[in-house]
Every structure is written in C-alpha cells, then in structure tokens.
C-alpha cells in the first residue's frame, strides 16, 4: 500500500465516523475565529481577488462556505470523499463546489489548474498532517494551482504545538474527546519544523510575501472551560517575477 493510499484511507475513516454537528471535529472552529481572521491577513496580499479560490483540505466545508460569501468562485478540495459528502450536505444551496483532489499528485493538480486557471489558495493545517514524503509534492501542487497570478495562504501548527498536544494525549484522563478520533485513525499531527515551511515554498518556486503567528483555534475546551488554542504560524506566498 502506498503512503498516499494509507493516508487517504485514514481520512476516509475519520470523516465517515465524524458527526455533522457543528463543532464536533477538533479543528472545526467557527469561521469568525478562523477564516475571518486569516482573510484579514490574506486579502491585502491578494493581487487578483477575481480568481477562483481553492480551500485546499476543506474537510466538511465550514470555512469553505464562509469563503464563498467573499469570493466569486470557491472550490473546496479534499482527499477524502467522505469529507466532501459532509461538505455538500451542509451546503444545499451550492455556495461552493467540491472536488476530490490529492494535491500531492501532479496529474490531479494539473487537471484542476487546466479547468480553473490560476487560483488563490487557502490551506489551514494541512501540511503538518501530511506524510513527510508528501509534503514537498503537496506544496509543489499548491504552487501549480496558484500559477503566476494567484496567492496562497497557509497556516500550520508551530513546533511548540507538539508539546501542547503531547500534554493532552498523555494526561491521566486520556486525550480530549474530540482529539481522540484523530489519533485513533492514524492521522495524528506530524512535526513540521518552523523553518521547513518557507523552505518547502521556496523549493516550489514561491516567495514568502508575509508571515506571522496566530493561535489555531480548536473546538475543544480545557477543564476550566477555556477554549483550547494551539500555537501556529501563517504565511502568504506567491510568485513575484
């Protein structure tokens, strides 16, 4: 079994089991706490807002639907058909369209780019969950999707988040209920060095145009009813030539 097929099957299993209830998935925080904050950082760097926007790794489409209210054409793309079923079910009006896509597969990415042309891309928390060998191909795929005119916004867990997650998993009571399925399906967040992400982008021919730190908000709460946030870093990238 290839790395990619194992990864796809893990996600299919996770999303088949996931509830449709808002906030049931660990990272599925409401857009006001996630995509809305990211757009405030992303939009000043977008040179062509009329391009299609791809929500890469869209999951159940919570952020996709929010983005579809702000961009003329939005495509939610995910490696798991079960995720897209959730997304379509939650979007009966068809605000966005949804596409099965393995962004680490060059042929699939080229096909989508041929259909859409250059696009802006929003990618939240995808790279650190990818297998090590798939990370550069994934970023190469992202670069192919944005082409010459698009811009990409990435937000990924920082190195410090690993310690927070380990503390949660190793607590005497076990991992929080919403985090447990992530580990049970074998898609536990991997460790991506903070300086690796800009290097992946540079290797794909992209320039980092802006970057910073911003907590990645989850739907889980601590024992004292504080919303759990994980340290993360964001970057905007594109071609400058």
């Amino acid at each position: 079994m290839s790395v990619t097929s194992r990864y796809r099957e893990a996600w299919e299993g996770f999303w088949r089991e996931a509830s449709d209830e808002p906030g049931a998935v660990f990272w599925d925080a409401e857009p006001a706490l996630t995509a809305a904050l990211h757009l405030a950082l992303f939009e000043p760097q977008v040179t062509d807002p009329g391009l299609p926007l791809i929500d890469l790794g869209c999951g159940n489409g919570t952020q996709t639907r929010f983005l579809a209210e702000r961009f003329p054409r939005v495509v939610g793309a995910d490696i798991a058909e079960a995720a897209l079923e959730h997304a379509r079910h939650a979007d009966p009006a068809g605000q966005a369209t949804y596409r099965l896509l393995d962004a680490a597969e060059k042929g699939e990415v080229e096909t989508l780019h041929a259909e859409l042309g250059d696009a802006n891309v929003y990618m939240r928390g995808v790279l650190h969950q990818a297998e090590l060998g798939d990370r550069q191909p994934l970023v190469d795929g992202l670069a192919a999707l944005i082409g010459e005119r698009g811009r990409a916004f990435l937000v990924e867990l920082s190195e410090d988040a690993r310690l927070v997650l380990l503390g949660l998993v190793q607590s005497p009571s076990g991992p929080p209920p919403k985090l447990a399925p992530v580990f049970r399906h074998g898609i536990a967040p991997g460790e991506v060095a903070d300086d690796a992400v800009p290097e992946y982008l540079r290797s794909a021919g992209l320039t980092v145009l802006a970057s910073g730190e911003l907590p990645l908000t989850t739907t889980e709460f601590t024992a004292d009813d504080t919303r759990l946030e994980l340290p993360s870093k964001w970057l905007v990238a594109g071609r400058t030539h």
Side-chain angles (χ1 to χ4, degrees):
M1 183 183 294
S2 72
V3 169
T4 299
S5 63
R6 189 211 66 79
Y7 179 70
R8 187 193 298 272
E9 288 182 13
W11 279 110
E12 290 285 4
F14 175 85
W15 283 112
R16 279 195 298 268
E17 182 183 293
S19 168
D20 274 327
E21 288 296 314
V25 173
F26 181 68
W27 55 81
D28 194 34
E30 53 267 39
L33 302 175
T34 49
L37 302 181
H38 299 151
L39 275 190
L41 302 166
F42 186 29
E43 286 182 318
Q45 301 292 334
V46 172
T47 55
D48 193 341
L51 295 178
L53 177 79
I54 301 171
D55 181 7
L56 191 56
C58 68
N60 61 2
T62 298
Q63 313 306 321
T64 320
R65 295 187 297 278
F66 172 83
L67 295 167
E69 296 173 357
R70 288 152 180 81
F71 290 86
R73 182 181 182 187
V74 172
V75 177
D78 203 277
I79 197 171
E81 183 59 47
L84 299 177
E85 289 172 6
H86 280 285
R88 294 185 184 107
H89 176 74
D91 187 9
Q95 290 178 279
T97 57
Y98 301 93
R99 173 72 170 254
L100 189 66
L101 179 74
D102 181 352
E105 285 291 330
K106 184 178 180 181
E108 293 189 29
V109 169
E110 289 176 345
T111 297
L112 183 56
H113 183 260
E115 293 175 16
L116 297 179
D118 290 356
N120 294 310
V121 173
Y122 174 76
M123 190 172 86
R124 180 176 72 107
V126 174
L127 192 61
H128 72 267
Q129 292 173 332
E131 301 282 357
L132 178 61
D134 282 344
R135 290 175 187 163
Q136 187 63 60
L138 174 60
V139 178
D140 291 345
L142 180 151
L145 291 171
I146 68 172
E148 296 299 322
R149 296 182 296 149
R151 293 287 185 262
F153 180 89
L154 297 80
V155 58
E156 294 292 337
L157 295 182
S158 68
E159 293 175 22
D160 294 340
R162 185 170 182 269
L163 295 176
V164 178
L165 288 167
L166 282 175
L168 293 170
V169 173
Q170 295 172 354
S171 71
S173 57
K178 294 177 184 177
L179 185 58
V182 179
F183 288 90
R184 187 168 64 250
H185 286 281
I187 48 176
E191 184 177 357
V192 180
D194 292 344
D195 58 1
V197 180
E199 189 54 43
Y200 286 134
L201 291 165
R202 281 191 287 271
S203 294
L206 301 179
T207 299
V208 175
L209 305 170
S211 62
E213 298 183 7
L214 191 70
L216 194 147
T217 304
T218 77
T219 60
E220 193 61 87
F221 290 81
T222 62
D224 63 358
D225 208 34
T226 301
R227 188 185 286 267
L228 180 63
E229 296 181 335
L230 299 174
S232 73
K233 294 182 179 291
W234 61 268
L235 304 96
V236 178
R239 289 188 172 84
T240 55
H241 55 271

